[in-house]
């Protein structure tokens, strides 16, 4: 059974989500990072529910951060946008289609870096990634994520050599086409479920997402 792929969020929808991310003090700082963050959770070794991560995204699990949502209607509006983007990823991967990464910069020296940083933060939220990262068939995907994420690292041992435009394009392609393959490996019975199925086990979201290490801002380190 197949499911229709939800439409892309509008620019206004994305701006709304980003306004909450900016106010909430989350390590997921913009929609590009959110796209990578969700991609890791959707394709990861555990089935999780995006609702469980909403408090982390807006800083609601940190008592030191002032609430950024005024009322229930506002919360429902944000949840609707987040759930729609999540379902768009799930249905795309279920269909075996490559994912069009949401990139803030259409081009540039660090294109895709923030997406990869978001993906690594998502990986940190659930256990069991080791058995996936060691599979050779997923090597191009994880190599590309690690290389892009550490592109601006302050640690010279983690920072890769300058990435040429052709190499960057190849890495982004490896991620785009590798995500549905990773999803098929972690959800072998996916075609029988709905886009928002699951919700257990409870994600580690509930633990606050940590800022990547290695850079003063967002330079993730190599996962061991």
């Amino acid at each position: 059974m197949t499911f229709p792929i939800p439409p892309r969020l509008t620019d206004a929808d994305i701006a709304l989500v980003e306004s909450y991310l900016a106010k909430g003090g989350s390590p997921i700082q913009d929609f590009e990072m959110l796209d990578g963050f969700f991609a890791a959770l959707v394709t990861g070794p555990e089935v999780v529910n995006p609702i469980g991560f909403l408090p982390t995204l807006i800083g609601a699990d940190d008592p030191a951060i002032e609430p950024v949502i005024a009322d229930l209607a506002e919360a429902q509006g944000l949840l609707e946008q987040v759930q729609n983007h999540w379902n768009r990823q799930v249905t795309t991967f279920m269909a075996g289609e490559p994912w069009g990464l949401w990139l803030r910069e259409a081009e540039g020296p660090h294109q895709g870096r923030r997406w990869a940083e978001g993906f690594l933060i998502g990986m940190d939220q659930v256990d069991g990634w080791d058995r996936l990262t060691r599979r050779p068939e997923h090597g191009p995907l994880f190599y590309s994520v690690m290389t892009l994420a550490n592109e601006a690292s302050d640690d010279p041992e983690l920072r890769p050599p300058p990435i040429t435009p052709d190499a960057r394009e190849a890495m982004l392609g490896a991620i785009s086409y590798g995500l549905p393959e990773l999803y098929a490996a972690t959800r072998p019975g996916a075609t029988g479920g709905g886009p928002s199925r699951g919700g257990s086990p409870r994600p580690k979201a509930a633990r606050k997402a940590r800022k990547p290490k290695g850079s003063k801002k967002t330079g993730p380190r190599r996962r061991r």
Side-chain angles (χ1 to χ4, degrees), residues 3-135:
F3 297 87
I5 298 176
R8 292 174 62 91
L9 298 186
T10 66
D11 290 343
D13 293 333
I14 291 172
L16 175 64
V17 173
E18 287 194 317
S19 70
Y20 287 114
L21 295 177
K23 291 186 294 184
S26 168
I28 306 300
Q29 301 161 1
D30 56 37
F31 201 80
E32 179 173 347
M33 293 187 76
L34 180 68
D35 190 52
F37 180 71
F38 273 4
L41 297 176
V42 169
T43 61
E46 295 183 13
V47 178
V48 298
N49 192 312
I51 297 176
F53 291 90
L54 189 60
T56 298
L57 292 176
I58 62 175
D61 56 355
D62 188 342
I65 297 177
E66 184 177 348
V68 298
I69 293 183
D71 52 39
L72 180 59
E74 199 170 72
Q76 290 175 334
L78 176 61
L79 179 59
E80 180 180 355
Q81 305 305 335
V82 169
Q83 185 79 53
N84 184 78
H85 191 68
W86 177 280
N87 286 345
R88 181 175 174 81
Q89 285 198 354
V90 172
T91 51
T92 298
F93 298 151
M94 287 177 64
E97 297 291 334
W99 178 248
L101 280 61
W102 197 96
L103 303 177
R104 175 170 295 280
E105 296 182 5
E107 57 185 22
H110 290 165
Q111 183 189 20
R113 176 176 62 87
R114 295 179 70 80
W115 191 98
E117 290 173 352
F119 191 92
L120 290 191
I121 295 174
M123 288 179 66
D124 194 45
Q125 298 302 296
V126 294
D127 295 321
W129 278 98
D130 285 352
R131 63 182 174 83
L132 297 174
T133 57
R134 293 171 181 170
R135 293 183 183 178

